Amino acid sequence: AQSVTQLGSHVSVSEGALVLLRCNYSSSVPPYLFWYVQYPNQGLQLLLKYTTGATLVKGINGFEAEFKKSETSFHLTKPSAHMSDAAEYFCAVTAYSSASKIIFGSGTRLSIRP
Amino acid sequence: NAGVTQTPKFQVLKTGQSMTLQCAQDMNHEYMSWYRQDPGMGLRLIHYSVGAGITDQGEVPNGYNVSRSTTEDFPLRLLSAAPSQTSVYFCASSLKQGVGYTFGSGTRLTVV
């Protein structure tokens, strides 16, 4: 079965610092990969996705992620953190058995220090 | 265009009661899914559907039923509520494979 591992349940960075949220997946075939963001008491919002093609994917709010097949990773980065980036972030992958079935990681809570 | 609409937003049930969580989307999406969110566990897939009349089980289907009689609606039924079903439930829909899901705002369910 496909799975997603997010390293670090809580990451804290200073405002203006680099944001790096780690995600590794298990898959025997090329997957679709996603990053979602959840603000308090809200649903999830799609940040970016990788399907095929360019391995560096740009999303909303200045975030980007790079698909590295050799490392089975899809880490999320942002060069300069803003206070409004404080939220929970989820990495997700489509299951091998059905590309309509998306499996989520356990999430990483991002805190921004002034 | 309302997106994905979930009702109710909050619900308290007694152990053993049954209820239906409603989910409707107006985007003509074929794919719909139900997830539950628990602290530290991310989102776990309960059931999903790839079109009207077609449903399948996800990671944690026990205690839940679904049906998909129309493209727009995908209700989730709790047959006999248990405290372990206390959670936040999210419905999501997608136009096709690989485009990502649009999520509703969630239903917070407490079973006492």
Side-chain angles (χ1 to χ4, degrees), chain A residues 2 32 34 36 38 41-46 49-51 88 90 94 97-107, chain B residues 31 33 35 37 40-45 48-50 57-59 90 97-106 108:
Chain A
Q2 297 228 343
Y32 297 151
F34 308 87
Y36 285 84
Q38 184 181 33
N41 299 314
Q42 294 187 24
L44 278 73
Q45 179 183 3
L46 182 65
K49 64 180 186 286
Y50 169 79
T51 53
E88 187 144 22
F90 294 93
T94 55
S97 58
S98 168
S100 59
K101 179 178 165 183
I102 298 180
I103 304 300
F104 284 82
S106 56
Chain B
Y31 300 150
S33 294
Y35 291 87
Q37 183 177 24
M41 303 186 74
L43 280 80
R44 291 181 291 170
L45 181 64
Y48 66 106
S49 169
V50 298
Q57 296 181 350
E59 303 166 273
F90 287 100
Q97 296 179 5
V99 299
Y101 272 85
T102 299
F103 279 78
S105 57
R108 186 174 295 274

Side-chain angles (χ1 to χ4, degrees), chain A residues 2 25-27 29-33 50-52 67 93-94:
Chain A
Q2 297 228 343
Y25 66 92
S26 67
S27 173
V29 296
Y32 297 151
L33 294 158
Y50 169 79
T51 53
T52 59
F67 170 60
V93 63
T94 55

Side-chain angles (χ1 to χ4, degrees), chain A residues 57-77:
Chain A
V57 180
K58 295 186 183 300
I60 62 172
N61 301 338
F63 284 94
E64 61 183 35
E66 187 171 9
F67 170 60
K68 293 186 175 181
K69 184 178 178 181
S70 61
E71 299 177 8
T72 61
S73 68
F74 191 57
H75 302 331
L76 181 71
T77 60

